[in-house]
């Protein structure tokens, strides 16, 4: 209240003043009135476009509202003017990562660290960007640095556990994920990751138990339910998995994850015709979704209908031509069909798209 009164007094005495507008914005931010805060920051910057504190605060507001490109613009403006501002560097690191500019994100976080940023969140942010760029071992190192600063943070243990699992360090991954769950028994991400890890290690019972725990914590999440039922099928109890699946599909009749799983299990149970019908039904239910076409393409590959598989890969690419994954799958199919030159071109295109996404 006092800060707002002082700001209003300044505005009454001197007319519009960027510092007063900033103070009002900060009061609104503290009160969680982000729309009013943004209005004040916009007024401040109309009066003084190079008012750096207002730029940084507006960039942070854009970040919180998922307006990542606009956040990047504000943080870059500050850095172009000042050369080095740790808050702006950290903000740019996050905004760039979330908008897919991985290289810019890594560079910003690295410069922030070099200029004295000592915070677990900075290392975690760079770790996420490094992982997205495929530099997982470096990402693991940054998780370790974050844990030195915040050793009781379950999310950081979980993040390092997932990364260790992805690079095949299963012992370290189990240690990290179990530690994360010990710190927060409701941390679903860690429970799911440990379930996946146990599945990879051949521990079907432990895997199913973890997925069941995740479902208990989030009983209305079809994706989690599908992973739990998949783990039951993988343990060898296909009949129970199908019975549970029918019950859950009745509860969530349009849940894509459950419908696609039913198609998978029908195929594994020897009912190929019913599986094909299910895949097609899901594709019609979600015409702008890539995943049903990819699953249908895989099905056709498995039954030796390569031309139909190729058509489904084409359908997936028509929906999202920039996704490298369907191109790699299509390239593998083209190799099977004896079309080596086309397969090579497809892989080259996928490689370009992957580099572009990690730019």
């Amino acid at each position: 209240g006092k800060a707002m009164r002082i700001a209003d007094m300044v505005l009454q005495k001197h007319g519009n003043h960027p510092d007063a507008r900033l103070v009002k914005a900060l009061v609104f931010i503290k009160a969680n009135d982000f729309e009013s805060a943004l209005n004040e920051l916009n007024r401040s910057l109309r009066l003084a476009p190079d008012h750096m504190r207002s730029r940084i605060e507006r960039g942070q507001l854009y970040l919180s509202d998922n307006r990542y490109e606009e956040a990047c613009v504000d943080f870059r403006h500050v850095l172009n003017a000042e050369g080095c501002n740790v808050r702006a560097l950290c903000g740019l690191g996050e905004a760039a990562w979330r908008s897919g500019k991985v290289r810019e994100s890594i560079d910003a976080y690295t410069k922030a660290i070099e200029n004295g940023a000592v915070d677990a969140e900075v290392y975690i942010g760079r770790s996420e960007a490094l992982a997205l760029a495929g530099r997982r071992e470096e990402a693991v190192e940054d998780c370790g640095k974050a844990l030195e600063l915040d050793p009781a943070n379950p999310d950081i243990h979980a993040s390092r556990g997932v990364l260790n699992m992805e690079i095949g360090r299963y012992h370290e991954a189990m240690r990290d994920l179990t530690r994360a769950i010990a710190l927060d028994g409701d941390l679903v991400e860690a429970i799911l990751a440990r379930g996946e890890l146990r599945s990879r290690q051949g521990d079907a019972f432990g895997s199913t138990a973890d997925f069941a725990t995740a479902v208990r914590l989030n009983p209305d999440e079809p994706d989690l339910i599908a992973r739990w039922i998949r783990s039951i099928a993988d343990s060898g109890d296909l009949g129970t998995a199908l019975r549970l699946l029918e019950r859950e599909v009745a509860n969530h009749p349009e849940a894509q994850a459950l419908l696609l799983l039913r198609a998978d299990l029908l195929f594994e149970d020897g009912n190929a015709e019913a599986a094909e019908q299910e895949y097609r039904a899901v594709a019609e239910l979600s015409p702008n979704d890539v995943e049903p076409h990819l699953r249908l393409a895989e099905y056709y590959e498995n039954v030796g209908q390569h031309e139909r598989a190729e058509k489904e890969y084409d359908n997936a690419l028509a929906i999202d031509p920039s996704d490298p994954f369907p191109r790699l799958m299509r390239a593998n199919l083209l190799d099977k069909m004896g079309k080596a030159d086309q397969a090579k071109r497809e892989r080259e295109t996928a490689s370009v798209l992957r580099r572009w996404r990690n730019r």
Side-chain angles (χ1 to χ4, degrees):
K2 184 177 180 181
M4 186 71 79
R5 286 194 298 273
I6 293 172
D8 286 335
M9 287 172 59
V10 171
L11 291 170
Q12 290 172 6
K13 185 174 182 179
H14 301 286
N16 270 337
H17 193 288
D19 286 340
R21 293 294 179 191
L22 171 62
V23 170
K24 291 189 74 171
L26 293 174
V27 173
F28 283 129
I29 290 171
K30 191 172 182 179
N32 294 323
D33 185 351
F34 298 134
E35 183 177 353
S36 297
L38 184 58
N39 287 335
E40 293 297 335
L41 291 169
N42 286 337
R43 291 176 181 177
S44 174
L45 288 166
R46 279 196 293 270
L47 294 166
D50 289 330
H51 197 274
M52 297 307 163
R53 178 69 188 277
S54 294
R55 284 274 177 191
I56 290 174
E57 295 300 336
R58 190 173 69 173
Q60 292 293 341
L61 278 184
Y62 284 147
L63 257 180
S64 67
D65 197 33
N66 302 330
R67 295 163 66 175
Y68 304 128
E69 293 290 349
E70 291 163 285
C72 284
V73 170
D74 274 340
F75 293 132
R76 290 190 197 114
H77 186 102
V78 174
L79 294 170
N80 288 337
E82 297 189 355
C84 179
N85 180 299
V86 170
R87 279 196 72 197
L89 285 166
C90 293
L92 181 59
E94 182 176 356
W97 164 64
R98 292 188 181 279
S99 58
K101 300 175 180 66
V102 179
R103 184 177 301 170
E104 184 178 24
S105 173
I106 294 170
D107 290 345
Y109 278 128
T110 299
K111 194 170 182 181
I113 292 166
E114 290 171 347
N115 283 275
V118 183
D119 189 285
E121 290 300 318
V122 179
Y123 284 107
I124 279 296
R126 190 172 69 171
S127 172
E128 290 169 334
L130 287 166
L132 195 58
R135 296 160 62 180
R136 292 185 178 86
E137 292 191 3
E138 293 172 78
V140 168
E141 291 177 9
D142 269 0
C143 284
K145 293 172 183 175
L147 285 169
E148 290 175 8
L149 298 166
D150 190 3
N153 189 318
D155 293 311
I156 304 176
H157 285 283
S159 295
R160 189 170 69 175
V162 170
L163 288 166
N164 273 321
M165 178 171 61
E166 289 175 349
I167 59 179
R169 296 174 180 170
Y170 289 171
H171 177 76
E172 293 85 348
M174 182 62 75
R175 177 201 61 202
D176 286 332
L177 295 170
T178 300
R179 177 61 176 159
I181 296 166
L183 290 166
D184 182 356
D186 293 340
L187 189 58
V188 171
E189 293 79 4
I191 296 167
L192 286 173
R194 192 174 67 176
E196 172 62 25
L197 176 60
R198 284 173 161 170
S199 176
R200 294 187 187 188
Q201 292 178 311
D203 180 5
F205 179 81
S207 174
T208 300
D210 276 338
F211 288 130
T213 299
V215 170
R216 178 178 57 78
L217 293 169
N218 290 272
D220 295 319
E221 290 290 333
D223 287 355
L224 296 185
I225 295 168
R227 294 181 72 176
W228 168 52
I229 295 175
R230 174 78 263 181
S231 71
I232 294 172
D234 289 343
S235 72
D237 196 351
L238 187 58
T240 297
L242 282 166
R243 286 194 297 274
L244 287 170
L245 187 55
E246 290 303 322
R247 183 190 72 188
E248 295 300 335
V249 168
N251 293 331
H252 308 278
E254 295 188 358
Q256 184 186 109
L258 295 173
L259 296 174
L260 287 173
L261 178 59
R262 182 163 67 178
D264 292 343
L265 297 187
L266 285 170
F267 180 68
E268 292 170 25
D269 198 35
N271 197 340
E273 184 177 345
E276 180 183 3
Q277 291 174 356
E278 191 77 30
Y279 285 126
R280 289 207 161 278
V282 179
E284 291 172 6
L285 185 67
S286 307
N288 297 317
D289 199 319
V290 169
E291 184 63 23
H293 294 287
L294 294 181
R295 299 282 274 275
L296 190 54
E298 287 184 277
Y299 163 79
Y300 284 133
E301 275 198 69
N302 287 330
V303 297
Q305 297 183 34
H306 291 166
E307 288 77 13
R308 299 182 76 174
E310 184 178 10
K311 182 179 179 181
E312 292 303 328
Y313 286 130
D314 290 341
N315 289 337
L317 289 168
I319 295 169
D320 185 1
S322 69
D323 189 347
F325 183 64
R327 292 191 181 277
L328 290 172
M329 296 180 70
R330 187 174 184 273
N332 293 335
L333 172 66
L334 290 169
D335 276 333
K336 292 180 183 178
M337 298 171 71
K339 301 178 180 179
D341 289 342
Q342 291 183 45
K344 181 181 178 182
R345 288 195 295 272
E346 200 71 274
R347 288 193 178 91
E348 289 171 349
T349 302
S351 179
V352 170
L353 290 171
R354 193 161 46 205
R355 287 198 300 272
W356 180 81
R357 284 196 167 194
N358 291 340
R359 71 195 189 285

